[in-house]
Amino acid sequence: MDQIMQMYHYHVWANSKIINRLKELPLDIYEREVKSVFPTVKKVLTHLYLTDYV
């Protein structure tokens, strides 16, 4: 059970880091297309959210 809690706390910490970093970026960056696995930051965030939801 301790390992599960560690993984959960790490997950919460990592999401917090991502959200805080995203707050620093200009708003237009979310839909700007880039060459990556996901075409936009918005699509990455959608993927992360849906993965957490499942």
Side-chain angles (χ1 to χ4, degrees), residues 1-48:
M1 185 66 141
D2 188 46
Q3 185 179 10
I4 293 171
M5 290 305 295
Q6 284 180 322
M7 290 171 61
Y8 172 76
H9 289 299
Y10 176 78
H11 180 74
V12 170
W13 172 83
N15 281 344
S16 175
K17 288 287 193 182
I18 291 169
I19 290 167
N20 287 335
R21 178 65 179 118
L22 289 171
K23 287 178 182 179
E24 299 173 6
L25 301 175
L27 288 176
D28 67 325
I29 197 78
Y30 296 101
E31 295 191 25
R32 188 182 306 161
E33 291 205 17
V34 294
K35 281 195 162 200
S36 185
V37 175
F38 293 93
T40 65
V41 172
K42 183 178 177 180
K43 298 253 183 193
V44 173
L45 294 174
T46 301
H47 173 74
L48 291 173

